[in-house]
Amino acid sequence: MTNALLNGLSALPGWNVSLLMLLAKATIILITAIGVTMAMQRASAGARHLVWLVTLGTLLLVPALTAWAPLRLKVLPAESATTTALGVPNPVPVPTPVPSLEQSGVAADRSASAIVPPTRDPAPVGSVTRLLAPLANMSGVSMVVSVWLLVVAAIGVSLLWASFAVRRIVKQARPLDTEDWRTPLWEVADRMGLDDVPRLLRSEEAKMPFACGLTTPTIVLPAESDSWSLDRRRAVLLHELAHVRRHDLLGHTLGRLVCAVYWFHPLVWTAAKQLRNESERACDDLALSCGTRATDYAEHLLDIVTSVRRDATPSVALAMARRKEFEGRMLAILDPELRRLGPSRRQSAVLISTLALVALTVGASAP
């Protein structure tokens, strides 16, 4: 079975084997992450989020490791230089006689004196043929790379469009600097241990509270926030400031970039979705750890989600809640046996180093 597989791979062109190896390595890394997170169901959401974050980060390094730093793994012994795969000795090459200079000159004269048949002008090529001529001349690897770049460019354009939409919303929003908003904002920031308080804006276009801004963290609230009670304002600020403290916008951006590079791999999209789900649950855990009652927090989230019929939050921002992922979050919020505290620095260092070592070893291996 192994010999047949290796013989089949050896019959393929080099670029086909490289693409298959890249796909296999990414699949192994993702399946390993799925197994690790399944074994950590009773762990905190912050620990599972860290697993997905390291996994997606190492996927960006796999192509470079495959091309530049392979670790040669000897699966089968090398064949002898004088023996074929069937055990039959290779025939000894017989040297061919080299013609002398005089014989070469005579042969050249005879070939020059030969009658060359006249060539006909090529037939006129139509416009459709001229358009398809470059595609006919492209090799298989060129066509695959062209399709990959086309999809990457399309995803990149959509992300840029979403970034411009967020910038437009932030630019048209007005700051919430009144006393009834400054007091809970500074109170929640003090609970979170944040030294720099993010900007707080109110937008007529926003339907759901969301956090945005990689360099300048910003929280955007909808116009309905004017009628919120003080408890609801604290609950929303706890969740959004948890995103700022955990730097979830960086992880969210990383997931989008990995999806753009590995758009052809369904498990990558699943990993990016799990990364977002675990980040939301980790923020819920952090909000509950600050003293908020689970029933009150769940009630505020439920009212906010049900009041929004169509959420148009841009994809590059972190909306507070989405209908598709809300049921699991509610169950996690109301479960008193779940661990709320995230991993310590030592646990995080051990988890990151172990996952990175496994992923980098798989990425650099070349059987």
Side-chain angles (χ1 to χ4, degrees):
M1 182 66 181
T2 305
N3 292 335
L5 179 60
L6 292 177
N7 291 334
L9 288 176
S10 62
L12 296 174
W15 64 271
N16 278 339
V17 176
S18 299
L19 291 178
L20 290 177
M21 290 302 302
L22 179 62
L23 182 62
K25 291 176 182 180
T27 303
I28 292 173
I29 294 174
L30 290 168
I31 291 177
T32 302
I34 292 174
V36 171
T37 53
M38 290 182 64
M40 298 172 59
Q41 289 299 318
R42 302 309 301 177
S44 63
R48 295 191 299 271
H49 175 268
L50 188 60
V51 172
W52 290 116
L53 186 64
V54 175
T55 300
L56 291 174
T58 53
L59 286 180
L60 292 179
L61 301 177
V62 170
L65 292 173
T66 303
W68 297 332
L71 300 176
R72 300 299 178 183
L73 301 181
K74 294 183 179 181
V75 180
L76 293 176
E79 295 179 357
S80 176
T82 59
T83 306
T84 61
L86 298 178
V88 180
N90 287 327
V92 179
V94 179
T96 56
V98 180
S100 62
L101 295 177
E102 295 180 357
Q103 294 176 351
S104 301
V106 173
D109 294 339
R110 289 179 180 178
S111 62
S113 61
I115 300 175
V116 180
T119 57
R120 296 181 180 180
D121 296 335
V125 183
S127 58
V128 177
T129 307
R130 287 196 301 268
L131 290 176
L132 296 179
L135 295 178
N137 296 329
M138 291 177 62
S139 61
V141 63
S142 299
M143 295 185 66
V144 171
V145 172
S146 299
V147 173
W148 176 78
L149 288 176
L150 183 63
V151 180
V152 170
I155 298 176
V157 169
S158 66
L159 294 179
L160 287 177
W161 181 265
S163 299
F164 288 140
V166 169
R167 183 176 298 182
R168 180 176 55 82
I169 292 175
V170 171
K171 186 176 180 180
Q172 295 178 357
R174 67 175 181 85
L176 290 175
D177 52 0
T178 57
E179 189 65 26
D180 56 343
W181 277 108
R182 276 204 307 259
T183 299
L185 178 63
W186 283 96
E187 177 185 349
V188 172
D190 185 64
R191 289 188 190 180
M192 294 286 181
L194 292 175
D195 297 330
D196 298 329
V197 179
R199 293 187 300 172
L200 188 62
L201 304 177
R202 175 190 180 276
S203 174
E204 295 288 344
E205 299 184 23
K207 302 299 180 182
M208 180 75 65
F210 65 85
C212 61
L214 289 176
T215 58
T216 306
T218 304
I219 298 174
V220 180
L221 302 178
E224 290 78 8
S225 60
D226 296 339
S227 59
W228 288 351
S229 63
L230 181 59
D231 291 338
R232 179 162 300 181
R233 294 181 181 186
R234 287 174 178 168
V236 172
L237 291 176
L238 278 170
H239 183 87
E240 299 304 328
L241 287 180
H243 280 306
V244 176
R245 177 185 171 183
R246 289 171 34 84
H247 305 286
D248 284 335
L249 288 170
L250 291 175
H252 184 64
T253 305
L254 175 64
R256 294 289 178 177
L257 291 177
V258 176
C259 287
V261 175
Y262 290 89
W263 56 264
F264 52 87
H265 205 307
L267 288 181
V268 172
W269 295 91
T270 302
K273 181 180 178 181
Q274 292 298 322
L275 178 73
R276 172 179 167 75
N277 292 341
E278 298 299 345
S279 69
E280 295 296 333
R281 294 188 181 186
C283 290
D284 294 337
D285 292 342
L286 189 56
L288 296 176
S289 299
C290 291
T292 305
R293 292 180 57 185
T295 54
D296 296 340
Y297 184 77
E299 182 181 358
H300 292 314
L301 282 181
L302 181 62
D303 291 341
I304 292 174
V305 170
T306 54
S307 63
V308 178
R309 296 186 177 274
R310 184 178 179 182
D311 183 19
T313 304
S315 58
V316 296
L318 287 174
M320 184 175 181
R322 299 181 186 273
R323 288 179 176 268
K324 295 181 180 180
E325 61 191 30
F326 189 67
E327 182 179 357
R329 287 179 60 186
M330 289 291 291
L331 294 176
I333 291 171
L334 298 176
D335 190 353
E337 297 182 359
L338 286 182
R339 294 184 58 182
R340 304 295 181 186
L341 296 178
S344 61
R345 291 185 178 180
R346 182 178 179 180
Q347 294 173 345
S348 300
V350 172
L351 187 60
I352 291 174
S353 59
T354 303
L355 292 172
L357 180 61
V358 172
L360 295 179
T361 303
V362 173
S365 301

